[in-house]
Amino acid sequence: MIASSENLFSSETSAAPIGIIAMNSVTELGNKINNYLVEWSKRAGYDADSFLIESECPRFSSGDGKGLIKSTVRGKDLFIIVDVGNYNVKYNYFGFENAMSPDDHYQDLKRIIQAASGKAHRVNIIMPILYGGRQHRRSYRESLDCACALQELEAMGVANIVTFDAHDPRVQNAVPLMGFDNVMPTYQVLKCLLNDVKDIKPTKENFMIVSPDEGALNRNMYYASVLGVDMGMFYKRRDYSTIVNGRNPIIAHEYLGNPVEGKDIFVADDIISSGESMLDLAYNLKEKGAARIFTYATYAIFTNGLDKFDEAYEKGIIGGVLGTNLTYRSPELLSRPWFHEVDVSKYIAYFIEAINHEVSISKILDPHAKIDALLKKYGIK
């Protein structure tokens, strides 16, 4: 990927000592990232016990809050990690237990930046789910939440933002002078698929990539290109005469592409929300004679629960669902036999090292060589 971790830690190009603030929405992920960094630093001859900096965002019962950083950040290259989609974090509000929304997480992020008081050498934000990322373009009189938030963070002195699989990465045009990296964990996804599904053969004769819609074409084209397999796509036929829950309802998913009969199918998207669209695609592909269907979403949040996916798995409609640990996964989801977790913590640790040591991240963003080696390891190339 990049120069070895030991070489990076021993390099003299480090911007400043690393400091990591893992917000309470990413405690588990933050600990995993810290463990990798500590291990690599010790291999390089440094005696670092932890890079984590303790912080807290307590709330008054009225709902007001504040940010506290409990040790110095002066001169640190500060990396703040936050999951704005973690609804499992709760606080007391007028005697009620209130689940934190993306708005609440974003406000706490700003509180921690304020608490740093400009003393850090540099402030970097790792925000896997981009706040407001699904409200990324204006249609008629609508807000532009994501663009506004990015500009606000830039005004607060944030130097870099790292996000994963942004719904529309063009939103970075709102902050052309700030560092913005949109990361696709393609290698980690393929590694998980090949490790967990032992008999899968991602070759042109046995395997196809299918894009769930035109918006997901680029990410699915990359999978098809690195694997050397055929690709099809669906497009969503909508009823533009009505609006339901703020959008035009989908009438049908129409398929374009080569026949899928007898082939294993892989469908990649950025988010599984209710999951209805993904299941519609799976049933549609099964009707066309597809073999096993594996779906992947960087953020598998399942807002409408898991029952329909349980049913589809029992019927043999889906063979498995892959999702990352970049956002909260409920214990119920983690217990499902059809769910396969993609661990991205090591990837983020590499990013932190690379940014801290002013090393080019182009090879991390394009992991083609790593994917090629992975496929050769499994005898696919």
Side-chain angles (χ1 to χ4, degrees):
M1 261 187 196
I2 55 177
S4 72
S5 50
E6 293 90 341
N7 289 341
L8 280 178
F9 267 105
S10 61
S11 168
E12 295 180 1
T13 60
S14 172
I18 293 175
I20 298 174
I21 292 180
M23 306 287 286
N24 59 354
S25 55
V26 289
T27 304
E28 177 190 0
L29 181 63
N31 286 331
K32 284 187 173 183
I33 293 167
N34 180 63
N35 289 341
Y36 280 115
L37 293 173
V38 169
E39 178 187 347
W40 296 340
S41 68
K42 288 183 176 178
R43 287 183 191 173
Y46 291 84
D47 188 20
D49 293 326
S50 178
F51 295 98
L52 291 171
I53 296 172
E54 190 178 356
S55 67
E56 185 183 3
C57 289
R59 296 260 179 170
F60 302 99
S61 57
S62 63
D64 292 330
K66 62 180 177 180
L68 299 172
I69 298 176
K70 299 186 177 182
S71 60
T72 181
V73 297
R74 188 179 296 276
K76 300 275 189 183
D77 196 10
L78 190 61
F79 292 84
I80 306 174
I81 311 172
V82 60
D83 173 17
V84 299
N86 190 341
Y87 60 90
N88 192 52
V89 181
K90 300 178 175 67
Y91 62 92
N92 184 54
Y93 182 59
F94 282 93
F96 297 96
E97 192 174 53
N98 197 43
M100 288 186 69
S101 70
D103 293 340
D104 290 318
H105 286 297
Y106 178 60
Q107 284 299 120
D108 278 356
L109 170 65
K110 291 193 293 181
R111 290 180 175 116
I112 290 299
I113 295 172
Q114 293 176 61
S117 305
K119 301 300 189 296
H121 172 79
R122 180 172 60 181
V123 176
N124 311 277
I125 305 297
I126 298 175
M127 186 189 294
I129 297 183
L130 202 57
Y131 172 75
R134 300 178 78 183
Q135 186 54 30
H136 58 286
R137 62 170 178 255
R138 172 170 284 158
S139 177
Y140 198 47
R141 289 189 293 270
E142 290 185 352
S143 60
L144 285 170
D145 296 19
C146 191
C148 186
L150 291 176
Q151 291 179 350
E152 187 174 22
L153 291 174
E154 183 181 39
M156 294 182 76
V158 173
N160 297 294
I161 288 185
V162 178
T163 190
F164 281 77
D165 203 351
H167 190 68
D168 188 344
R170 291 175 297 182
V171 74
Q172 67 185 288
N173 293 335
V175 284
L177 301 181
M178 183 173 69
F180 185 102
D181 291 300
N182 179 45
V183 189
M184 306 292 287
T186 313
Y187 168 73
Q188 287 74 18
V189 173
L190 289 176
K191 184 178 179 181
C192 177
L193 181 66
L194 293 171
N195 280 343
D196 290 4
V197 186
K198 303 298 182 184
D199 61 341
I200 198 162
K201 296 179 181 178
T203 61
K204 195 168 186 178
E205 297 75 28
N206 305 293
F207 195 78
M208 267 189 71
I209 304 293
V210 173
S211 175
D213 53 38
E214 61 276 15
L217 266 176
N218 285 341
R219 67 172 62 86
N220 284 279
M221 284 171 60
Y222 188 85
Y223 283 106
S225 297
V226 296
L227 292 173
V229 299
D230 292 332
M231 176 178 157
M233 71 162 286
F234 282 89
Y235 73 89
K236 296 174 181 176
R237 188 149 53 88
R238 295 182 180 272
D239 179 3
Y240 288 98
S241 65
T242 60
I243 296 177
V244 178
N245 294 327
R247 61 174 60 191
N248 303 110
I250 299 168
I251 301 172
H253 292 90
E254 304 288 355
Y255 178 72
L256 301 172
N258 294 339
V260 299
E261 189 173 356
K263 293 186 177 182
D264 287 337
I265 306 296
F266 182 76
V267 183
D269 210 350
D270 61 331
I271 187 169
I272 292 178
S273 185
S274 67
E276 291 178 1
S277 293
M278 197 67 87
L279 287 176
D280 285 346
L281 264 60
Y283 279 100
N284 193 315
L285 289 168
K286 271 295 182 182
E287 289 175 1
K288 297 181 186 301
R292 295 175 297 179
I293 299 167
F294 298 94
T295 66
Y296 160 73
T298 307
Y299 307 107
I301 59 177
F302 296 99
T303 57
N304 288 7
L306 307 171
D307 293 344
K308 290 185 178 180
F309 278 82
D310 289 337
E311 181 183 350
Y313 178 69
E314 290 170 5
K315 291 180 177 178
I317 303 300
I318 58 168
V321 178
L322 286 75
T324 70
N325 61 342
L326 291 168
T327 191
Y328 174 72
R329 295 92 54 230
S330 67
E332 292 77 20
L333 174 61
L334 294 174
S335 70
R336 291 306 197 264
W338 45 262
F339 182 70
H340 305 271
E341 183 170 280
V342 180
D343 187 359
V344 192
S345 56
K346 189 174 184 180
Y347 199 16
I348 297 176
Y350 272 122
F351 250 91
I352 290 174
E353 275 200 67
I355 292 173
N356 176 250
H357 289 80
E358 309 288 2
V359 173
S360 171
I361 60 172
S362 59
K363 290 183 179 179
I364 306 178
L365 291 172
D366 184 11
H368 184 268
K370 295 264 306 172
I371 293 173
D372 199 49
L374 178 69
L375 297 178
K376 287 177 181 177
K377 174 184 174 183
Y378 285 89
I380 298 164
K381 279 194 175 182

